[in-house]
Structure formats: structure tokens, C-alpha cells
Amino acid sequence: MRALIDRYIDAYNRIDVDAMLATMHSEVIFENYTAGVLSVRTVGAAELRHLAESSRHLFSARHQTIARYREAEGVAYADIHFQGTFAVDLPNGIRAGQSIALDGRSEYRERDGLLIYIADYSE
């Protein structure tokens, strides 16, 4: 599963939506949790494509790095370091050109050689 996740993260870092989705099962579920609260959930590759396409303009550059990785009982867990540079001004006062860095974790599951579940967790 690690090679599949590495392909996904590489595509994510390049902001290549087609390559990201090439690693996904058609029934993929994506969830994003912030401070323990579910903030985004998509079901299926079409919904995830819509989310990825609509948010790709937010960053001029972004980079995820796996700091620690392990697998247990068919689930992969990765501690993730994220860095990004905003491409646009946001309503919360963040300005284009500002950078962000945060640590989080991700959970992955695989079906038929493709990612079927991705959950991202950050504070």
C-alpha cells in the first residue's frame, strides 16, 4: 500500500488531480477532520474530483511529507507534515503569498489495488 500512497501524495504535491484520482477506487470515501470535527466528506470519485478541482486554486504550492508510516490490519497510518503557500486572499484574513505549515495524520485503506478510504486529521 505504501507505493500507492506515495503515488497519491506525489500527485497531490504536483496539484495533478487526474493523477491523484488514478490512485482512487471509484467508490472512494474522503474525510477531513479538523480538531476532531468532520469538516469535509466526499463519497465516490466524482465528488472527490469536484472537491479537488474546486480547491486547487487555493495554493500556488503545496507539499505533504510522510514523517512516519505504519500498517496494521489492512489500514495504513501516516504522520504527515504539510506546507503550503496560498495563491489567493481568503475571507479569514489570510493573504496570497502567505505560507502555512502543520502536522497531521492520515489513514488509508485499499480495495482492488486502489485507495478506497482516505481520512486526514489536523488540529
Side-chain angles (χ1 to χ4, degrees):
M1 193 173 347
R2 176 64 191 255
L4 180 61
I5 293 166
D6 285 344
R7 281 185 26 230
Y8 162 70
I9 289 176
D10 177 64
Y12 176 90
N13 289 343
R14 291 183 287 113
I15 313 177
D16 184 340
V17 175
D18 289 333
M20 283 172 49
L21 289 170
T23 66
M24 309 284 170
H25 193 281
S26 63
E27 297 173 8
V28 65
I29 294 172
F30 170 78
E31 296 176 335
N32 187 74
Y33 294 86
T34 304
V37 176
L38 178 64
S39 57
V40 175
R41 184 172 200 267
T42 65
V43 178
E47 283 186 18
L48 185 55
R49 175 180 290 281
H50 177 75
L51 175 66
E53 292 284 354
S54 63
S55 60
R56 70 192 292 178
H57 75 281
L58 294 176
F59 291 95
S60 59
R62 65 185 187 191
H63 191 81
Q64 282 189 31
T65 304
I66 295 178
R68 182 172 167 256
Y69 179 87
R70 70 182 180 88
E71 289 183 32
E73 300 179 14
V75 181
Y77 303 92
D79 293 341
I80 300 287
H81 179 71
F82 173 84
Q83 294 177 281
T85 302
F86 288 96
V88 296
D89 295 340
L90 299 179
N92 65 359
I94 291 175
R95 312 305 286 167
Q98 274 186 274
S99 295
I100 184 174
L102 58 91
D103 293 314
R105 61 186 174 85
S106 296
E107 180 179 313
Y108 307 90
R109 294 188 181 109
E110 178 183 15
R111 182 190 299 162
D112 302 328
L114 297 168
L115 296 171
I116 188 70
Y117 179 78
I118 302 170
D120 291 337
Y121 299 87
S122 63
E123 291 305 317

Coordinates of all heavy atoms in Angstrom, one line a residue, residues 13 23 40 49 69 74 79:
N13 N 1.0 16.7 -4.4 CA 2.0 17.7 -4.3 C 2.2 18.5 -5.6 O 2.5 19.7 -5.6 CB 3.4 17.2 -3.9 CG 3.4 16.7 -2.4 OD1 2.6 17.1 -1.6 ND2 4.4 15.9 -2.1
T23 N -5.2 6.9 -8.6 CA -4.9 6.0 -7.4 C -6.2 5.7 -6.6 O -6.1 4.9 -5.7 CB -3.9 6.7 -6.5 OG1 -4.5 7.8 -5.8 CG2 -2.6 7.1 -7.2
V40 N -15.2 17.9 6.1 CA -15.5 17.6 4.7 C -15.6 16.1 4.5 O -14.8 15.4 5.1 CB -14.3 18.1 3.7 CG1 -14.5 17.7 2.3 CG2 -14.1 19.6 3.8
R49 N -13.3 14.4 -7.1 CA -12.8 15.2 -8.2 C -13.3 16.7 -8.1 O -12.5 17.6 -8.3 CB -13.2 14.7 -9.6 CG -12.7 15.6 -10.8 CD -13.1 15.0 -12.1 NE -12.3 13.9 -12.5 CZ -11.1 13.9 -12.9 NH1 -10.5 15.1 -13.1 NH2 -10.4 12.8 -13.2
Y69 N 5.3 6.2 9.1 CA 4.3 5.3 8.4 C 4.3 4.0 9.0 O 5.3 3.4 9.5 CB 4.8 5.2 6.9 CG 3.9 4.3 6.1 CD1 2.8 4.8 5.4 CD2 4.1 2.9 5.9 CE1 2.0 4.0 4.6 CE2 3.3 2.1 5.2 CZ 2.2 2.7 4.5 OH 1.4 1.9 3.8
G74 N -4.6 -4.1 7.5 CA -5.2 -3.6 6.3 C -5.4 -2.1 6.3 O -5.9 -1.6 5.3
D79 N 1.9 9.8 9.6 CA 2.0 11.2 10.2 C 2.5 12.0 9.1 O 3.5 11.7 8.4 CB 3.0 11.2 11.4 CG 2.5 10.4 12.6 OD1 1.3 10.1 12.7 OD2 3.4 10.0 13.4

